[in-house]
Amino acid sequence: ETELMDQHQADELDDLNLDSSALWESIFEEAEDHYYGFGDTLQDFKEAMKLYVHAAKLGALPAYSQIGEMYLQGKGVQANADTALKYFKEGARKGSVFCYWAMGMLFWRSEDYPEKNTLENTNKCFSIFLRCLDEGLSGGQLLTEDQWISVDQDCVSLLIPKVLHDIEPPVVLNIFFFQRIESIRARVQGMI
């Protein structure tokens, strides 16, 4: 038996190289169309959720953060922070660096986890996010353009309480804020 395994004959299947993103990209794009109501597609959160879940099962890392956000906001589903956290954790486990950011924001904003050390969890999630960026996202996925927009918007929401009420954002992000200052400034100008 092992002889058969050791003596592999080259055939046309050896040249078959499937790009895993090809399996989920069109489903993810269709989910985005339904979520945002792009083009002629009617906005339909329930259909978007169904498609995001399908895309996630096929390996779409960005789908995990979208599903988590939909559970946080109650779009197409009953709002549930625990389920959102579950999807963020699973996405992070599979290599979505953005899911660490999303978890950091969830813990920072959340009143749903008073029994847990939310500041410690916030700092851990943001630290892992930053470390992954520093390490060049080896083995993970680069952030999408939409995810960078979300990060910049979140940075604005983290900095506004500092300016208005002297409430410090997570210290672990101070250097990151300076690195992203131009993007954050552009995001603020776009909001005005």
Side-chain angles (χ1 to χ4, degrees):
E1 273 180 50
T2 56
E3 248 181 70
L4 290 175
M5 298 297 275
D6 292 337
Q7 296 179 355
H8 172 73
Q9 295 290 327
D11 60 23
E12 65 274 359
L13 293 178
D14 289 337
D15 294 330
L16 184 63
N17 187 10
L18 290 176
D19 176 8
S20 64
S21 65
L23 299 172
W24 59 260
E25 277 181 345
S26 63
I27 295 168
F28 184 80
E29 287 174 18
E30 187 178 352
E32 295 275 271
D33 289 347
H34 285 282
Y35 184 82
Y36 294 106
F38 289 149
D40 291 336
T41 305
L42 296 175
Q43 189 174 43
D44 182 342
F45 294 131
K46 288 185 181 197
E47 183 65 17
M49 175 62 81
K50 184 177 88 175
L51 291 165
Y52 282 134
V53 168
H54 187 65
K57 288 178 182 178
L58 292 173
L61 294 180
Y64 287 95
S65 59
Q66 287 295 94
I67 295 166
E69 284 298 323
M70 289 180 76
Y71 272 103
L72 274 181
Q73 298 171 16
K75 291 187 174 179
V77 293
Q78 181 72 32
N80 187 319
D82 287 331
T83 302
L85 182 58
K86 179 183 99 174
Y87 277 98
F88 292 148
K89 283 180 177 180
E90 183 63 13
R93 187 184 71 72
K94 290 187 176 188
S96 171
V97 174
F98 181 74
C99 282
Y100 286 110
W101 180 268
M103 284 189 287
M105 291 303 297
L106 171 67
F107 285 121
W108 179 256
R109 293 179 176 153
S110 184
E111 297 171 6
D112 295 324
Y113 300 102
E115 72 283 356
K116 297 180 183 169
N117 187 340
T118 57
L119 183 57
E120 184 178 327
N121 285 339
T122 298
N123 287 329
K124 283 180 183 179
C125 291
F126 285 142
S127 292
I128 294 169
F129 171 82
L130 295 172
R131 185 173 61 239
C132 290
L133 289 181
D134 288 343
E135 292 171 357
L137 303 167
S138 60
Q141 175 193 333
L142 295 172
L143 273 63
T144 66
E145 184 178 334
D146 287 341
Q147 290 171 336
W148 276 117
I149 290 169
S150 182
V151 166
D152 290 340
Q153 290 171 336
D154 288 342
C155 287
V156 172
S157 73
L158 289 166
L159 291 169
I160 287 174
K162 168 69 176 158
V163 172
L164 298 178
H165 307 290
D166 205 30
I167 298 171
E168 291 293 328
V171 175
V172 70
L173 293 176
N174 284 347
I175 293 171
F176 182 70
F177 291 144
F178 286 112
Q179 293 170 337
R180 302 283 308 159
I181 193 69
E182 291 305 317
S183 296
I184 294 168
R185 185 174 292 142
R187 195 69 48 220
V188 169
Q189 290 172 345
M191 295 173 151
I192 299 175

